[in-house]
């Protein structure tokens, strides 16, 4: 980094949240739970059969006193299986609906904060230099107050984004990109004081965050639709 350049970061060619790198598994948990419940029921039936014998068990459950097939027993078994399946499916659907609704609401709020943050950070270099020149020419506090307001707005959204995103290995890239934007704008004061005129800059921190956040929210949206 030369004297007339500000803090920069390397361009991210592809975010770690790109769809090609994150394939969401969709295991059928309903079928899995149903199999486990049926296996447990089968084990219990097996224990009973071992105790009283298969022939006696069949006679008790499926044969009536007239030595005819007892449909009530068969109907009961089917009803139990159907009831268990319905309960599992209903519980799973309710949970998915709740998770999906909460996650979609979170995404909508957070995306608005991110969009505002990106817009303000991207605008900051131009606004900063403009205000600095006006301050030197007019020596008025009005422009400085405008600049401070923008700085406060950026800082507030910076903290909001970090608070809304967990500090875990999966979120490391997007959290780093968010913080890089603040480092980028904070370094402008130093560069401007050294150069005393327009300084060179590129907007990699902004483009990186845009790329990463777009893939991140796309992935989270896909997960939300699945109730995950």
């Amino acid at each position: 980094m030369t004297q007339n350049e500000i803090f920069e970061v390397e361009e991210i060619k592809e975010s770690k949240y790109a769809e090609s790198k994150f394939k969401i598994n969709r295991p059928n948990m309903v079928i899995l739970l149903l199999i486990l419940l049926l296996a447990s029921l089968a084990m219990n039936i097996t224990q009973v059969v071992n105790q009283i014998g298969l022939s006696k068990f069949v006679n008790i459950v499926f044969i009536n006193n007239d030595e005819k097939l007892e449909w009530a027993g068969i109907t009961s078994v089917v009803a139990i299986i159907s009831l268990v399946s319905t309960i599992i499916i209903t519980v799973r659907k309710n949970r998915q609906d709740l998770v999906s609704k909460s996650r979609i609401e979170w995404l909508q709020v957070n995306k608005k904060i991110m969009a505002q943050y990106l817009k303000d950070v991207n605008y900051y270099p131009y606004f900063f230099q403009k205000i600095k020149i006006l301050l030197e020419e007019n020596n008025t506090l009005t422009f400085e107050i405008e600049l401070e307001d923008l700085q406060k707005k950026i800082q507030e959204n910076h903290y909001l984004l970090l608070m809304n995103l967990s500090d875990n290995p999966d979120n490391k890239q997007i959290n780093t990109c968010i913080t890089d934007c603040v480092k980028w704008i904070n370094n402008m004061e130093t560069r401007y004081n050294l150069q005393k005129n327009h300084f060179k800059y590129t907007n990699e921190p902004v483009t990186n965050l845009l790329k990463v956040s777009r893939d991140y929210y796309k992935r989270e949206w896909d997960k939300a639709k699945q109730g995950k």
Side-chain angles (χ1 to χ4, degrees):
M1 184 171 68
T2 61
Q3 191 180 41
N4 63 335
E5 290 178 339
I6 65 171
F7 169 84
E8 299 291 354
V9 294
E10 292 184 6
E11 179 187 0
I12 296 176
K13 301 297 183 181
E14 183 182 17
S15 76
K16 64 173 290 187
Y17 310 108
E19 188 174 357
S20 60
K21 292 187 177 183
F22 275 86
K23 294 182 178 179
I24 301 172
N25 297 322
R26 302 181 180 181
N28 195 328
M29 297 302 296
V30 174
I31 294 177
L32 178 61
L33 290 173
L34 183 58
I35 291 174
L36 292 174
L37 287 172
L38 291 177
S40 177
L41 180 61
M43 291 178 61
N44 291 330
I45 292 175
T46 301
Q47 291 178 353
V48 174
V49 170
N50 290 335
Q51 292 177 358
I52 66 175
L54 179 60
S55 177
K56 188 173 181 181
F57 175 79
V58 171
N59 286 336
I60 292 174
V61 178
F62 299 109
I63 305 298
N64 59 25
N65 294 331
D66 297 328
E67 301 296 322
K68 294 181 179 180
L69 191 63
E70 182 59 73
W71 287 101
I74 298 176
T75 303
S76 298
V77 173
V78 173
I80 291 173
I81 296 174
S82 177
L83 177 63
V84 171
S85 301
T86 301
I87 292 173
I88 294 174
I89 292 172
T90 301
V91 170
R92 182 172 183 264
K93 185 178 184 304
N94 290 340
R95 178 185 175 279
Q96 284 183 329
D97 289 345
L98 178 62
V99 171
S100 180
K101 181 180 178 181
S102 300
R103 200 164 192 83
I104 288 173
E105 289 177 353
W106 176 85
L107 281 169
Q108 289 174 338
V109 171
N110 213 50
K111 284 174 71 176
K112 287 181 180 179
I113 299 173
M114 180 65 77
Q116 185 66 51
Y117 183 68
L118 285 165
K119 181 178 76 68
D120 290 340
V121 172
N122 189 55
Y123 176 60
Y124 186 87
Y126 165 78
F127 189 68
F128 173 83
Q129 294 189 90
K130 177 183 175 182
I131 296 302
K132 285 296 182 181
I133 293 171
L134 290 173
L135 282 172
E136 291 173 358
E137 293 177 350
N138 299 289
N139 192 26
T140 175
L141 292 176
T142 304
F143 304 115
E144 189 171 9
I145 291 173
E146 291 182 38
L147 181 63
E148 289 178 356
D149 287 343
L150 180 59
Q151 291 171 334
K152 289 177 182 178
K153 191 176 179 182
I154 291 173
Q155 195 67 54
E156 178 184 1
N157 285 330
H158 168 239
Y159 287 131
L160 281 173
L161 289 170
L162 292 182
M163 288 174 64
N164 286 335
L165 295 168
S166 301
D167 184 15
N168 56 46
D170 181 51
N171 288 341
K172 182 178 180 180
Q173 187 181 54
I174 189 170
N175 283 331
T176 298
C177 289
I178 292 169
T179 302
D180 282 345
C181 286
V182 171
K183 292 179 181 178
W184 185 60
I185 66 171
N186 285 344
N187 191 242
M188 290 179 189
E189 184 78 39
T190 301
R191 291 298 151 200
Y192 186 87
N193 291 337
L194 288 172
Q195 192 67 16
K196 290 299 181 182
N197 58 23
H198 293 286
F199 49 79
K200 297 178 182 179
Y201 70 90
T202 57
N203 64 344
E204 255 78 22
V206 177
T207 56
N208 283 347
L209 180 57
L210 176 60
K211 182 183 300 181
V212 169
S213 61
R214 183 177 58 228
D215 288 339
Y216 180 86
Y217 290 133
K218 173 64 168 61
R219 188 193 70 172
E220 295 304 303
W221 178 261
D222 290 338
K223 290 167 64 176
K225 289 190 293 184
Q226 300 172 37
K228 296 182 178 181

